Amino acid sequence: MDVSRVLDPLNDAQRQAVCAPAGHIQVLAGAGSGKTRVLVHRIAWLLQAEGVSPYGILAVTFTNKAAGEMRSRIEELLGIPASGLWVGTFHGIAHRLLRAHWKEANLPQGFQILDSEDQLRSVRRVIREMGLDENHYPPKETQWYINGRKDEGQRPDHIDCNNDPHLRQKIEIYRAYEAMCQRNGVVDFAELLLRAHELWLNYPQMLQHYQQRFHHILVDEFQDTNTIQYAWLRMLAGDKGCMFAVGDDDQSIYGWRGARVENIHQFSKDYANTSIFRLEQNYRSTGNILKAANSLIENNTERMGKNLWTEDGEGEKIRVYGAYNDLDEANYIAEQILSWIEDAGLRSECALLYRSNAQSRVLEEALIKNSIPYRVYGGLRFFERQEIKDALAYLRLMNNDQDDAALERIINTPTRGIGNRTVEAVREMSRSGGMSMWQALWRLQEEKTLPARALGALSNFIDIIEELKVSTQELGLGETIEHVIHHSRLRSHYEKEKGEKGRARIENLEELVNAGRSYSVEDFDDELPEMDELSAFLSHASLEAGDNQADEWDDCVQLMTLHTAKGLEFKQVFLCGVEEDLFPHRLSADDPVRLEEERRLCYVGMTRAMQRLTLCYAEKRRLYGDDKYTRPSRFIKELPAELIEEVRMQGYVAPAMSASRGSGYKSNIKEENETGLNLGQRVMHQKFGEGIVMNYEGQGRHARVQVNFEGVGSKWLVMEYANLMLC
């Protein structure tokens, strides 16, 4: 049998993994090392060289896109349809099992699947039917709790409340939600996996059938498996199955949604005589990018270890740009993209990666200002995000109470007891009376044609809007936005949404405050004549949410979070905001486990770059509503100095990176060129600690320098006595 077509495209390490004898195999596939190729060619090897039946192979991955790509590549390689193979996502294969065995799974034959929004509505309905206060048991948080328990394989009876009344009630909500789903014949996504696992626990003969059928189990992105997924795989493999697990512990970045990097470490302990192969040859990035990424990830202690390399050249050094503030960072990136385009590069070859969604606003504005088309990959533009549109709707209604669309959006956001029937009554009054919905609210109050409870809820909404109008009359734009976010209870509403998504919403709301504080109507005089500041800002927000984002197929710059970037590659990559408290995130910096995941996230970001990689940080950034004087991230300090090219802005010298890499503080500053200092330089004072140079005046021994110290604020110091040292 000619298997040259299967083996010839592979390098030595890939070939060894593909041709390995049957058994438990773990493939540690580094970034850009061809993991999908190895999976596809392993399947082809089993079919052609080992004579395995297509019906004896099961391949699981995490996304429909990855599963579709795997199927198409198998068909292309072998020239036969892949219909006989079970290739799909965990949820897709679990769904297939439950459809085949609906009766044993205690489901109706035509059971339906709840998407995330449907599930949230069901959870909210249960909470209301139980007569509970949604402020104490927020539906979104409760949904997150239920899904988390299912991912851990826990039913309500498995959970110990530890005499905690609040937890006991959450368990009862979980129990009531389960009962509702069973009555309605529906399952959510987390239920698919849990029930498929329980199907095999409850029916050993059925499990034995599938164990005998699927002798070869191939798993993609193994580092992303959670508790129930790994338990499901182990049951299916049993004592005789052969598992081929491909993954990279250095790219495990989804711990916040249940992924357990421990699974990839546990694999060889759970399966004796596991064969381990390392794919270290990279086909994506230049040598310098790989060396820098290797050096970074070596600082993680809990890893299985590998070292990426390439046969291609060393390429450019990694650029590190020290910006004065976040606006300068964004402008620098826009200038670099324009330069790239002038050199015949494509916009679509450039990606801007950031830790927090909130960072995109300033970057988007710089791109728009420079007429650079862009697309927010896998997400919404800043002014299109749900929480931003909610806050803007309050501002719009305050500014113009005839704005029916704004009123409808927020009349029950956050929830205030105004149901659909009441809203429909407002709409009907508006239609029949030829008036705005705001006027209809007042008319309904006068006529008292609604139940007292509904009228009370509407009256409360009117009072909120009227109070916001009065209390913000003397406030600036930024302060107005901040006041509205707090006093409308939008902030507390979104704080109840747990996890990374909830935190991102709060950061976006804080960034909206920043947008208001930095907005100047004078900048838009030609476009928005004779408008007050709030009206101009609302028009500006609407325009930015309009036509600036390019279509998916256009040549445009790609913006995305670092989490979204996994699996993608670009010729030029900018990592934005590589600063302490932002990246690594302030909530992870003091937790060794979470810090290692942040470092893995940085590693993923760096290895997206093919030719040019730029890490940017700002000395000053508006974060969480305030100006913060920041420090370069420890991740920059962990990169070898010989691989770094420091980029300095015109008229400003970035702090010396060599000093921040452990060479200690420099000797006393020499008094030349006035004070011998540059704006933005970081200095150390024996008493006040570290600070940033903000201003200076005079020269020689009487020169004075203004330094903003992290602990004590801004101080003017005489150079002769200050004994400042560079750091």
Side-chain angles (χ1 to χ4, degrees):
M1 180 177 296
D2 181 16
V3 293
S4 59
R5 190 176 181 187
V6 175
L7 298 181
D8 286 352
L10 307 177
N11 64 35
D12 289 343
Q14 293 170 340
R15 191 176 292 115
Q16 289 174 18
V18 165
C19 301
H24 295 300
I25 297 170
Q26 190 169 26
V27 181
L28 300 177
S33 65
K35 69 175 180 60
T36 305
R37 170 177 286 191
V38 167
L39 273 167
V40 168
H41 284 250
R42 175 64 175 181
I43 293 172
W45 175 264
L46 291 172
L47 293 173
Q48 289 204 338
E50 301 291 344
V52 175
S53 167
Y55 296 95
I57 295 175
L58 175 74
V60 290
T61 186
F62 278 84
T63 67
N64 289 317
K65 180 181 177 182
E69 181 184 357
M70 202 180 299
R71 277 191 294 267
S72 65
R73 287 172 69 167
I74 291 169
E75 291 177 351
E76 182 181 352
L77 180 61
L78 297 180
I80 60 173
S83 54
L85 298 167
W86 275 37
V87 179
T89 64
F90 279 98
H91 291 99
I93 290 173
H95 175 237
R96 187 169 179 174
L97 284 168
L98 295 179
R99 287 292 179 197
H101 305 285
W102 55 272
K103 190 174 294 185
E104 292 87 347
N106 194 25
L107 288 169
Q109 187 172 10
F111 72 87
Q112 298 298 311
I113 301 173
L114 295 174
D115 63 20
S116 182
E117 288 301 315
D118 289 336
Q119 184 192 21
L120 179 60
R121 279 191 285 269
S122 297
V123 170
R124 179 176 286 115
R125 179 180 162 193
V126 167
I127 291 170
R128 290 175 177 173
E129 288 179 352
M130 294 177 71
L132 300 173
D133 187 346
E134 290 186 25
N135 291 318
H136 290 107
Y137 300 96
K140 194 72 177 176
E141 179 185 334
T142 307
Q143 177 190 30
W144 174 81
Y145 170 78
I146 291 171
N147 290 339
R149 294 308 89 213
K150 290 186 178 186
D151 286 345
E152 291 296 317
Q154 294 179 323
R155 294 293 187 191
D157 290 342
H158 302 148
I159 308 170
D160 186 352
C161 70
N162 294 315
N163 295 319
D164 180 340
H166 186 76
L167 179 56
R168 182 184 294 114
Q169 188 63 74
K170 285 173 77 171
I171 295 170
E172 290 307 310
I173 296 172
Y174 181 10
R175 196 186 310 278
Y177 167 76
E178 279 201 320
M180 171 192 279
C181 290
Q182 191 65 35
R183 286 195 308 271
N184 296 340
V186 295
V187 295
D188 54 52
F189 278 98
E191 182 72 17
L192 288 171
L193 283 164
L194 179 54
R195 197 166 292 222
H197 182 247
E198 292 172 340
L199 186 65
W200 287 340
L201 282 172
N202 297 331
Y203 293 91
Q205 289 183 327
M206 184 188 300
L207 172 61
Q208 186 178 15
H209 163 76
Y210 283 104
Q211 287 175 337
Q212 290 173 347
R213 174 177 176 177
F214 295 123
H215 187 63
H216 293 276
I217 306 162
L218 297 94
V219 190
D220 188 19
E221 303 286 9
F222 189 77
Q223 77 280 351
D224 293 336
T225 54
N226 61 26
T227 299
I228 194 67
Q229 287 163 345
Y230 188 37
W232 185 83
L233 288 168
R234 289 193 65 193
M235 286 194 72
L236 181 57
D239 297 328
K240 298 179 180 178
C242 299
M243 203 182 312
F244 188 89
V246 181
D248 182 5
D249 56 335
D250 290 334
Q251 296 189 77
S252 179
I253 59 174
Y254 297 119
W256 49 275
R257 68 183 190 195
R260 289 174 52 84
V261 69
E262 296 90 341
N263 291 346
I264 203 169
H265 299 151
Q266 186 67 27
F267 187 89
S268 59
K269 299 175 184 176
D270 291 336
Y271 296 104
N273 303 317
T274 294
S275 299
I276 299 177
F277 299 91
R278 286 175 169 80
L279 305 184
E280 299 174 304
Q281 183 175 357
N282 178 282
Y283 293 92
R284 176 188 299 151
S285 306
T286 64
N288 282 332
I289 291 172
L290 297 179
K291 289 176 184 177
N294 288 334
S295 180
L296 173 81
I297 203 64
E298 282 174 1
N299 289 278
N300 276 5
T301 56
E302 299 296 326
R303 58 189 296 262
M304 299 185 72
K306 62 187 168 308
N307 196 58
L308 297 180
W309 60 275
T310 180
E311 289 183 343
D312 296 333
E314 298 300 307
E316 299 180 15
K317 290 187 175 183
I318 287 80
R319 301 181 180 192
V320 174
Y321 182 69
Y324 176 63
N325 59 23
D326 47 354
L327 297 176
D328 174 62
E329 175 191 51
N331 289 330
Y332 168 77
I333 291 171
E335 290 169 4
Q336 291 301 300
I337 293 172
L338 290 174
S339 176
W340 176 271
I341 296 168
E342 287 177 5
D343 292 336
L346 298 175
R347 289 183 288 261
S348 57
E349 296 170 337
C350 303
L352 280 57
L353 312 183
Y354 34 80
R355 177 64 181 85
S356 166
N357 258 314
Q359 292 172 254
S360 80
R361 183 191 65 84
V362 176
L363 298 169
E364 288 182 57
E365 288 189 350
L367 295 174
I368 291 167
K369 195 178 298 182
N370 287 277
S371 301
I372 301 174
Y374 70 91
R375 185 169 72 95
V376 179
Y377 184 95
L380 297 171
R381 288 166 286 180
F382 182 79
F383 286 107
E384 287 184 340
R385 293 167 190 162
Q386 174 182 315
E387 59 279 8
I388 299 302
K389 292 177 76 172
D390 288 345
L392 292 174
Y394 274 97
L395 294 167
R396 285 165 50 195
L397 189 60
M398 290 162 51
N399 195 51
N400 173 21
D401 55 27
Q402 306 300 298
D403 190 333
D404 287 354
L407 185 147
E408 284 208 59
R409 182 176 185 92
I410 59 170
I411 192 170
N412 200 40
T413 303
T415 53
R416 49 178 64 91
I418 301 176
N420 291 334
R421 289 183 181 178
T422 303
V423 174
E424 185 53 44
V426 177
R427 290 194 194 103
E428 179 56 34
M429 175 64 75
S430 172
R431 284 192 296 266
S432 61
M435 62 185 74
S436 70
M437 290 183 69
W438 180 257
Q439 292 169 320
L441 292 178
W442 287 96
R443 179 69 63 84
L444 288 168
Q445 294 290 313
E446 294 170 1
E447 296 183 358
K448 293 184 169 49
T449 54
L450 294 177
R453 184 175 179 179
L455 288 173
L458 292 178
S459 177
N460 176 52
F461 176 66
I462 292 172
D463 291 344
I464 289 171
I465 301 302
E466 292 293 346
E467 190 279 329
L468 289 174
K469 288 180 183 178
V470 173
S471 58
T472 57
Q473 283 181 354
E474 304 299 322
L475 299 180
L477 179 57
E479 288 68 32
T480 294
I481 296 171
E482 186 172 33
H483 183 88
V484 167
I485 288 170
H486 280 274
H487 291 273
S488 66
R489 293 192 297 110
L490 271 181
R491 183 184 180 96
S492 59
H493 170 67
Y494 282 116
E495 280 176 340
K496 294 168 185 173
E497 187 172 340
K498 300 296 183 182
E500 188 85 6
K501 190 173 182 180
R503 187 163 68 232
R505 292 196 192 280
I506 297 302
E507 290 174 350
N508 285 336
L509 288 172
E510 290 167 343
E511 183 59 24
L512 183 64
V513 176
N514 295 343
R517 286 178 173 161
S518 61
Y519 180 80
S520 174
V521 70
E522 286 79 10
D523 294 338
F524 299 90
D525 273 346
D526 294 336
E527 301 174 34
L528 308 172
E530 303 298 326
M531 296 183 76
D532 62 86
E533 193 173 42
L534 178 56
S535 298
F537 178 76
L538 291 171
S539 296
H540 165 68
S542 297
L543 291 170
E544 287 218 356
D547 300 325
N548 294 304
Q549 177 155 280
D551 291 329
E552 184 173 354
W553 51 85
D554 288 347
D555 177 28
C556 56
V557 173
Q558 307 293 311
L559 277 69
M560 67 194 75
T561 65
L562 282 148
H563 284 101
T564 304
K566 188 171 178 292
L568 303 176
E569 59 183 34
F570 304 92
K571 287 187 177 179
Q572 177 168 221
V573 167
F574 297 90
L575 264 60
C576 312
V578 190
E579 302 148 19
E580 289 295 305
D581 292 339
L582 184 56
F583 192 31
H585 197 278
R586 70 188 191 281
L587 298 180
S588 302
D590 297 326
D591 182 331
V593 174
R594 295 173 71 174
L595 177 61
E596 292 212 343
E597 181 158 321
E598 290 283 300
R599 187 176 283 109
R600 292 194 293 269
L601 188 58
C602 187
Y603 173 83
V604 166
M606 292 174 66
T607 53
R608 299 312 94 196
M610 302 168 69
Q611 296 178 3
R612 180 179 296 174
L613 172 63
T614 304
L615 277 58
C616 301
Y617 69 91
E619 289 287 345
K620 182 174 74 170
R621 185 178 298 274
R622 188 170 281 273
L623 286 173
Y624 321 122
D626 297 311
D627 283 330
K628 305 284 185 182
Y629 290 91
T630 61
R631 293 177 294 155
S633 169
R634 69 193 74 188
F635 299 153
I636 295 180
K637 301 176 185 179
E638 291 169 359
L639 304 180
E642 65 272 15
L643 300 179
I644 298 299
E645 176 190 349
E646 295 178 54
V647 185
R648 304 176 189 276
M649 71 183 78
Q650 188 175 8
Y652 164 69
V653 179
M657 293 305 302
S658 58
S660 68
R661 289 201 186 87
S663 58
Y665 296 109
K666 294 187 176 181
S667 58
N668 284 21
I669 299 168
K670 295 179 181 178
E671 296 178 12
E672 57 188 22
N673 291 330
E674 299 182 328
T675 64
L677 293 174
N678 294 282
L679 295 180
Q681 233 166 357
R682 187 172 291 278
V683 294
M684 168 63 75
H685 187 274
Q686 186 176 3
K687 178 179 179 182
F688 302 133
E690 287 190 22
I692 301 290
V693 175
M694 302 301 298
N695 201 356
Y696 49 76
E697 61 182 26
Q699 55 186 331
R701 43 197 298 262
H702 298 297
R704 298 170 68 237
V705 60
Q706 184 186 26
V707 181
N708 191 295
F709 293 101
E710 295 177 0
V712 296
S714 179
K715 291 187 177 293
W716 280 95
L717 305 171
V718 178
M719 285 293 299
E720 184 178 9
Y721 308 110
N723 293 320
L724 294 174
M725 305 178 78
L726 290 179
C727 61

